[in-house]
Amino acid sequence: MSAAERLTDGLYGLGWSTVKKLPEPVAARLGQTVADLAWKQRGKGVQRLESNYARVVPGAGPERLRELSRAGMRSYLRYWMESFRLPAWSAERVRTGFDPKDIHHLTDGLASGRGVVLALPHLANWDLAGAWVTTELETPFTTVAERLKPETLYDRFVAYREGLGMEVLPHSGGSAFGTLARRLRDGGLVCLVADRDLSASGVEVDFFGEKARMPAGPALLAQQTGALLLPVTLWYDDSPVMRGQVHPPIDIPETGTRGEKTSVMTQALADAFATGIAEHPEDWHMLQRLWLADLDPAKGPS
């Protein structure tokens, strides 16, 4: 492990061990302070955030984009402060920390026994939404995590999410899809963050008027297993409660090849994501390249 990797792992470990012990108002102020410091430094992540917001909010001038990126960094650090503290939250705090609309799409789908795929973009705090599902609905689910470096940091994330009641599979390795499909055939729940393709071989979609790639997994799983595919969007307001929307199911087209059906369904997902992101752009934590025009074809996403 390199010195930089040891430092990264140590900082995350410090966050999980220290921040969760802070009173909530203190943690919130700390998050805002760190966010503002990072925003003022205008590093690559902040600049990329503004570049992405320029697609989401067409016509926004430099001043508006800077306002958005500051709010975006505060939202991003709220996510981290909450995530560091989630393992110490009581069940009641988790239940009252999230208020989703139209949750009946999920509960009805689970009651039908056909399995459900929830697909989310990087909006607000998807870990809190997951903890709410395992706590309030008492429903375990399976998800996939990107392998991080160093390996010890990946292990921390897996242990953290498993502690919240999730089954976590590694994104790499090739066996995740089969396991997810088995869970769905058993009537289970699968949750996937699905607005950024990590394979450089995803499905091309139109996203805010430009071409991007998103993972094919959610659509393929729904086709292969007959599971319900539900987009979900999340956002913060001025309260301690995160809000959310479970969107109507995305139907599997009756005609076309598997690839054609996957393309149609993934575009429908992208459209649902775009609706939520356009309404709450500051809560979209996309500090990486996403659109094809920004990607180096030789390297893929970065």
Side-chain angles (χ1 to χ4, degrees):
M1 187 190 306
S2 69
E5 289 176 339
R6 284 196 299 271
L7 176 61
T8 300
D9 182 57
L11 288 173
Y12 279 103
L14 183 65
W16 267 302
S17 64
T18 303
V19 173
K20 70 180 180 182
K21 300 176 183 177
L22 297 175
E24 194 156 338
V26 175
R29 287 196 297 273
L30 175 62
Q32 282 204 358
T33 299
V34 173
D36 288 348
L37 286 172
W39 177 76
K40 288 175 182 177
Q41 291 177 355
R42 293 196 55 76
K44 289 183 179 180
V46 173
Q47 294 179 48
R48 176 54 53 192
L49 192 62
E50 288 185 8
S51 175
N52 290 338
Y53 285 159
R55 264 80 171 228
V56 173
V57 188
E63 184 175 348
R64 172 62 175 146
L65 290 175
R66 282 180 62 80
E67 290 174 355
L68 273 175
S69 66
R70 184 178 188 182
M73 291 303 295
R74 286 186 169 189
S75 175
Y76 186 45
L77 263 294
R78 176 173 171 176
Y79 159 76
W80 278 112
M81 292 297 112
E82 288 179 349
S83 295
F84 287 144
R85 291 174 51 76
L86 262 177
W89 279 17
S90 67
E92 182 62 20
R93 178 66 183 91
V94 172
R95 291 188 184 101
T96 59
F98 180 41
D99 179 27
K101 298 178 181 178
D102 295 329
I103 195 67
H104 67 89
H105 290 307
L106 171 57
T107 54
D108 290 352
L110 291 171
S112 74
R114 62 184 290 193
V116 176
V117 179
L118 292 181
L120 307 87
H122 285 81
L123 274 168
N125 191 340
W126 46 97
D127 285 329
L128 172 54
W132 186 88
V133 167
T134 61
T135 303
E136 174 66 16
L137 301 185
E138 298 182 343
T139 301
F141 65 86
T142 305
T143 188
V144 174
E146 179 184 359
R147 277 205 174 275
L148 303 170
K149 291 183 179 180
E151 190 75 14
T152 51
L153 179 57
Y154 171 77
D155 292 340
R156 286 186 191 275
F157 271 96
V158 170
Y160 155 65
R161 288 180 171 137
E162 287 179 342
L164 298 176
M166 311 175 192
E167 179 187 21
V168 183
L169 307 175
H171 179 269
S172 59
S175 62
F177 188 91
T179 302
L180 295 173
R182 286 193 294 274
R183 300 292 182 268
L184 292 168
R185 291 193 185 99
D186 290 339
L189 176 63
V190 164
C191 300
L192 301 171
V193 180
D195 57 342
R196 180 170 175 252
D197 177 51
L198 297 173
S199 67
S201 60
V203 179
E204 191 171 297
V205 295
D206 182 84
F207 196 53
F208 290 101
E210 291 191 44
K211 296 298 182 183
R213 274 193 301 264
M214 293 188 181
L220 287 172
L221 284 167
Q223 290 178 65
Q224 186 160 317
T225 67
L228 206 63
L229 176 56
L230 300 175
V232 178
T233 52
L234 310 170
W235 67 93
Y236 291 127
D237 57 18
D238 294 330
S239 77
V241 179
M242 183 177 71
R243 314 296 174 176
Q245 174 78 53
V246 183
H247 296 258
I250 291 176
D251 294 329
I252 301 173
E254 295 182 359
T255 61
T257 64
R258 186 173 71 166
E260 290 168 343
K261 292 178 180 180
T262 301
S263 180
V264 170
M265 295 172 72
T266 306
Q267 182 63 61
L269 264 186
D271 292 343
F273 293 167
T275 297
I277 292 167
E279 291 175 351
H280 305 279
E282 68 279 2
D283 291 323
W284 189 42
H285 309 149
M286 187 55 66
L287 281 72
Q288 298 86 16
R289 294 178 175 89
L290 181 75
W291 280 273
L292 298 188
D294 294 334
L295 293 173
D296 180 348
K299 296 180 180 178
S302 63

